[in-house]
Amino acid sequence: MSADYQVHGDVAVITLNNPPINGLGLATRIGITDGLAKANGDAAVKAIVLTGAGKAFSGGADIKEFGTPKALQEPNLLSVIVAIENSAKPVVAAMHSVAMGGGLELALGCHYRIAAPGCSVALPEVKLGLIPGAGGTQRLPRVLGVEAALNMIVSGEPVKSEMLAMLPGQKLFDKMAVSAESLAAEALALAQDVAAKHADGSPLPLVRNLPCKHPMGDAYFQFTRNMVGGMSRNYPAPLKCIEAVEAATQKKFSDGMLFERELFINLMWTPECRALRHLFQAERAASKIPDVGADIASRAIKSIAVIGAGTMGGGISMNFLNAGIPVKMLEMKQEALDRGVATIRKNYEAQVKKGKLKQDKYEERMALLSTTLSYADLKDADMVIEAVFEEMGVKEAVFKQLDAVMKPGAILASNTSTLDVNQIANFTKRPQDVVGTHFFSPANVMKLLEVVRGEKTAKDVLATVMALGKKIKKTSVVSGVCDGFIGNRMIEQYSRQAGFLLDEGCTPAQVDKAMEKFGMAMGPFRMGDLAGNDIGWAIRKRRAQERPNMLYSRSADKLCELGRFGQKTNAGWYDYVAGKRDAIPSKLVEDMIAEHRKSLGITPRKVADEEIVQRLVYSLVNEAAHILEEGIASKASDIDMVYLTGYGFPMYRGGPMLYADQVGLFNVVQSMHRFAQNPHDDANFWKPAPLLQKLVTEGKNFN
Ligand code: NAI
């Protein structure tokens, strides 16, 4: 049973007890209804307090039950709330810490509510592509007023109890407790008061009986529809929140409840909702490594050293400074250190100017930063992250020096984006302490961290880096060692397809537009211009030696031969005006592509947007299937996380793997067979990966 039952004097206390956030799983729901029955059957009990143990009143639905029959099994949440409303003895919700989603809906079913200050109150369902489904849209407007309630429901954002208590006329809380510590005693006292008040048999107050009106209903809802519709383009849920709250103002309570349920169930089946729920679960799943259990103790990381104060070194350092961890940066020359520190300062100052960072915080962070030219100064650091030039010889020199000076047990990490982490580890006598930490640029902004697990990386090193990733607010995904790891290995295929499309008749702008319409934050050519086309060029040159048979369009090389590296040279696939980021289609580039096409003897054809999207996205999917099969990624959802957090894949599509699942893997493979017929494409690549073929044969999917 995930709820405790105790009697204090003449008050029964039902305490939800399902750590960490008292999720309303089946056992907890049964615990509540059993407790209610017991209390109602005990003549000595006059009133009931409902509260939560530990760190929450209740955080809502139990995510372990998501998508399982248990979630719907009786008593479901709606039935539990009805049981509370029907209790003959008054039920007082004692809310503290967190009262969200189903947890808040539960409290709204109680006859009275008392809250501790600092309690986070929210209906966050919209973030999962849903609306509240257990009366939240019908009851919250009745206690907070339509506007305040709708703001909370559409945004899903938490609001502190003391703020809500200040709303004029609010009926959410009958009382605010003085403190979290005094809540239990104050809730008991309130329960005794209301028991006395209703001793005469007077009816218990129910939120459902409160009126729900907006003085300018039609105009107000039309206004919010326009606003929210504009902001939530690809998501249906926010507009449905408005519909549901509007229904609360127009329909009888019971009809409003039915309407809410109908909207809720319809949303459940939308691809957007499925994608957002997938994202929610994938994020949690990513932090779990199959063979590294929770029992593996991590190492203490109290200080960090960073080698190289360039683009990545500076951004990486900021992550740790932001988390209050001291950083020492090492460079070969004082000028490079000065430049690195100046860039960090400039970034923080921009945040201060925008009001995103307080001056004193900025100074605190800078005080944690120190610099050195000498390896000997790094000997006390718990972890070092190398971000020097991407050349094996340079990495070798650095890791040999680190091996010589770092204390035993220190973690030695490399930010390499393409080099072999096993080889780097073997430059040291402690390969078990070596790991890849592949940050994405700008490293202080991008959420993704690929944690690269070498052949010999120790489990506790992995556990430590994953925990550290959480501390610096990254989404960490483990990748095995291969060229490009998960993300960049897949992007190679995506870029190759983009190149072939140019050869066949597309312009960069057409390809970008199709992908952006699909939802990518940026099409492949705008992305290349932002990242620097020279980086891809260098990688292609290296790969040409390692894999001479790999086919590429030559247009990207020709672009680089013209010195058009992207935004940094004010010219790439597009033209740029200095200081601005607007991509202006370039006649010169289009002519260059046309000439190249002619030299290949290709007659240009009009390629439909649908084909562009399919070729680019399915190229990711097919490579990902190889990655999964080789064990480079341990689960499909990890690959989705990489693309959602590091490559601007649209959230509402849930990542390339979930997208492929939704299209149907059979259909994906059919398209791949079609692409293999194209004489200007790489037929070899379009052979479905064995895993993909197997899933199709077995009628299964990735997730
Ligand atoms: P960068 O050229 O901006 O910075 C490298 C810095 O390392 C320079 O300041 C240089 O003076 C310093 N350095 C070179 N050799 C050194 C040595 N032996 N000892 C101490 N300092 C030394 O390069 P960036 O872009 O910061 O890249 C660094 C690493 O991060 C590379 O391995 C790169 O592949 C990787 N990376 C880069 C990304 C990007 O978007 N720029 C993204 C992810 C990884």
Side-chain angles (χ1 to χ4, degrees):
M1 195 83 68
S2 303
D4 305 327
Y5 182 86
Q6 279 187 326
V7 178
H8 297 265
D10 53 4
V11 178
V13 179
I14 302 171
T15 307
L16 311 185
N17 195 353
N18 182 18
I21 50 143
N22 298 321
L24 296 166
L26 181 60
T28 310
R29 301 196 301 268
I30 293 175
I32 300 171
T33 47
D34 282 3
L36 287 171
K38 214 168 177 179
N40 275 285
D42 182 347
V45 168
K46 301 282 184 262
I48 301 155
V49 168
L50 181 65
T51 192
K55 289 195 213 138
F57 171 73
S58 169
D62 191 334
I63 55 165
K64 291 192 280 298
E65 281 187 6
F66 266 14
T68 71
K70 263 192 174 177
L72 300 172
Q73 206 170 314
E74 292 281 11
N76 64 31
L77 184 55
L78 285 166
S79 309
V80 174
I81 293 171
V82 169
I84 294 174
E85 286 185 321
N86 290 342
S87 165
K89 297 175 183 177
V91 182
V92 175
M95 300 156 72
H96 65 90
S97 317
V98 170
M100 293 195 187
L104 176 57
E105 291 175 304
L106 187 72
L108 286 167
C110 294
H111 306 109
Y112 292 93
R113 283 161 298 278
I114 176 170
C119 176
S120 290
V121 179
L123 288 174
E125 287 80 354
V126 73
K127 296 189 175 175
L128 296 179
L130 288 167
I131 64 168
T137 65
Q138 304 302 296
R139 288 192 180 89
L140 197 64
R142 287 179 155 83
V143 294
L144 286 187
V146 169
E147 294 192 19
L150 186 57
N151 284 343
M152 283 180 71
I153 295 170
V154 166
S155 70
E157 289 298 321
V159 184
K160 291 286 178 209
S161 48
E162 57 272 27
M163 304 298 290
L164 292 170
M166 285 194 298
L167 288 175
Q170 69 82 21
K171 295 191 174 63
L172 176 56
F173 306 126
D174 298 282
K175 198 163 183 248
M176 283 299 287
V178 174
S179 67
E181 292 71 36
S182 66
L183 175 69
E186 290 189 65
L188 281 180
L190 177 63
Q192 278 158 344
D193 284 353
V194 300
K197 186 172 156 195
H198 294 286
D200 59 358
S202 57
L204 295 169
L206 294 177
V207 171
R208 62 163 69 215
N209 294 335
L210 295 171
C212 187
K213 282 272 162 302
H214 190 283
M216 291 181 298
D218 290 348
Y220 167 72
F221 285 110
Q222 192 49 50
F223 167 74
T224 49
R225 253 192 285 277
N226 292 345
M227 279 254 299
V228 171
M231 280 155 53
S232 62
R233 269 183 318 149
N234 297 307
Y235 297 93
L239 282 172
K240 297 292 170 192
C241 292
I242 300 177
E243 267 186 59
V245 172
E246 187 174 27
T249 68
Q250 293 171 341
K251 294 180 194 285
K252 278 203 317 222
F253 179 82
S254 55
D255 291 344
M257 286 296 286
L258 288 177
F259 186 68
E260 177 194 86
R261 185 92 309 233
E262 191 183 313
L263 293 178
F264 176 84
I265 288 170
N266 288 339
L267 282 170
M268 265 315 244
W269 301 110
T270 59
E272 294 81 5
C273 175
R274 190 161 164 224
L276 291 174
R277 281 184 290 147
H278 172 68
L279 174 67
F280 182 78
Q281 286 169 319
E283 179 140 33
R284 276 151 190 78
S287 63
K288 299 193 177 72
I289 312 168
D291 63 334
V292 180
D295 54 319
I296 304 272
S298 38
R299 302 183 189 180
I301 305 292
K302 299 214 174 73
S303 61
I304 298 271
V306 173
I307 316 291
T311 311
M312 295 306 286
I316 291 169
S317 299
M318 287 178 74
N319 285 292
F320 296 101
L321 300 175
N322 296 349
I325 301 172
V327 176
K328 187 163 281 177
M329 288 197 305
L330 178 144
E331 267 281 356
M332 293 180 298
K333 296 211 176 94
Q334 188 60 42
E335 299 88 85
L337 280 177
D338 294 344
R339 230 181 0 251
V341 173
T343 307
I344 293 178
R345 271 196 188 286
K346 205 176 84 197
N347 284 339
Y348 278 138
E349 275 161 14
Q351 289 179 21
V352 171
K353 221 179 249 167
K354 284 188 202 146
K356 286 188 181 159
L357 181 69
K358 295 241 164 68
Q359 183 72 27
D360 56 335
K361 283 266 175 243
Y362 160 44
E363 280 153 24
E364 256 171 48
R365 288 176 191 184
M366 287 309 293
L368 292 171
L369 179 66
S370 59
T371 59
T372 183
L373 295 170
S374 157
Y375 276 86
D377 286 343
L378 308 182
K379 65 180 183 352
D380 296 325
D382 296 317
M383 175 168 173
V384 56
I385 302 176
E386 162 279 308
V388 301
F389 301 139
E390 186 77 342
E391 279 166 39
M392 201 47 118
V394 185
K395 306 278 189 203
E396 177 173 4
V398 168
F399 273 80
K400 286 197 164 146
Q401 292 185 79
L402 291 175
D403 195 23
V405 300
M406 300 303 290
K407 68 181 177 190
I411 294 178
L412 277 42
S414 171
N415 187 51
T416 179
S417 40
T418 50
L419 299 176
D420 182 344
V421 173
N422 292 328
Q423 197 181 340
I424 294 175
N426 286 332
F427 294 140
T428 74
K429 288 186 217 63
R430 39 175 135 177
Q432 74 282 359
D433 295 336
V434 177
V435 65
T437 49
H438 183 213
F439 287 81
F440 285 70
S441 184
N444 54 317
V445 178
M446 294 294 286
K447 285 284 284 177
L448 179 61
L449 174 63
E450 275 182 326
V451 176
V452 184
R453 178 179 193 166
E455 255 164 33
K456 297 181 188 155
T457 307
K459 288 185 180 179
D460 67 334
V461 167
L462 275 179
T464 306
V465 174
M466 294 303 277
L468 193 63
K470 201 166 181 186
K471 190 153 190 192
I472 60 172
K473 303 201 169 92
K474 297 290 178 199
T475 299
S476 308
V477 176
V478 177
S479 169
V481 176
C482 67
D483 190 357
F485 313 126
I486 298 174
N488 285 341
R489 174 167 158 186
M490 286 162 64
I491 213 78
E492 182 192 5
Q493 300 306 333
Y494 178 89
S495 304
R496 284 176 68 228
Q497 283 302 318
F500 294 145
L501 284 164
L502 298 184
D503 293 350
E504 287 168 45
C506 295
T507 63
Q510 188 198 348
V511 176
D512 282 349
K513 221 188 260 157
M515 294 313 290
E516 286 159 18
K517 215 162 88 196
F518 171 77
M520 296 298 290
M522 227 179 265
F525 297 107
R526 284 216 292 141
M527 191 174 78
D529 278 358
L530 180 67
N533 297 309
D534 50 325
I535 295 180
W537 195 23
I539 295 174
R540 280 195 303 281
K541 283 184 201 159
R542 173 176 61 75
R543 284 183 180 151
Q545 292 174 358
E546 293 166 9
R547 289 178 282 159
N549 295 332
M550 183 70 92
L551 297 174
Y552 283 101
S553 159
R554 281 265 304 133
S555 49
D557 297 344
K558 289 182 172 293
L559 186 83
C560 290
E561 284 156 15
L562 296 172
R564 297 182 68 104
F565 294 159
Q567 290 189 17
K568 59 182 161 189
T569 54
N570 287 327
W573 293 107
Y574 297 91
D575 291 330
Y576 296 88
V577 175
K580 289 198 174 167
R581 286 170 179 267
D582 305 301
I584 306 160
S586 160
K587 172 87 173 45
L588 185 146
V589 170
E590 282 168 24
D591 289 347
M592 185 261 303
I593 294 168
E595 204 168 304
H596 177 52
R597 188 182 295 138
K598 208 161 141 197
S599 74
L600 296 173
I602 300 177
T603 314
R605 70 179 169 104
K606 170 123 185 54
V607 184
D609 283 3
E610 193 190 356
E611 181 182 335
I612 296 175
V613 169
Q614 287 186 352
R615 282 171 63 178
L616 265 59
V617 177
Y618 297 172
S619 70
L620 294 176
V621 172
N622 200 33
E623 191 62 24
H626 287 294
I627 285 175
L628 261 181
E629 199 157 26
E630 292 167 24
I632 299 295
S634 63
K635 35 193 168 341
S637 66
D638 280 0
I639 295 170
D640 284 336
M641 281 322 289
V642 166
Y643 267 76
L644 292 167
T645 57
Y647 293 84
F649 202 92
M651 295 286 170
Y652 61 91
R653 296 201 191 272
M657 310 308 269
L658 187 80
Y659 178 72
D661 281 350
Q662 304 224 42
V663 170
L665 298 188
F666 175 83
N667 298 324
V668 171
V669 166
Q670 290 299 308
S671 303
M672 287 170 52
H673 289 321
R674 215 171 51 245
F675 303 148
Q677 307 295 318
N678 178 347
H680 309 302
D681 202 330
D682 179 355
N684 212 19
F685 170 76
W686 285 120
K687 255 191 230 129
L691 174 70
L692 181 54
Q693 191 58 60
K694 181 166 165 266
L695 290 173
V696 171
T697 310
E698 292 174 0
K700 292 188 181 153
N701 57 31
F702 286 120
N703 285 288

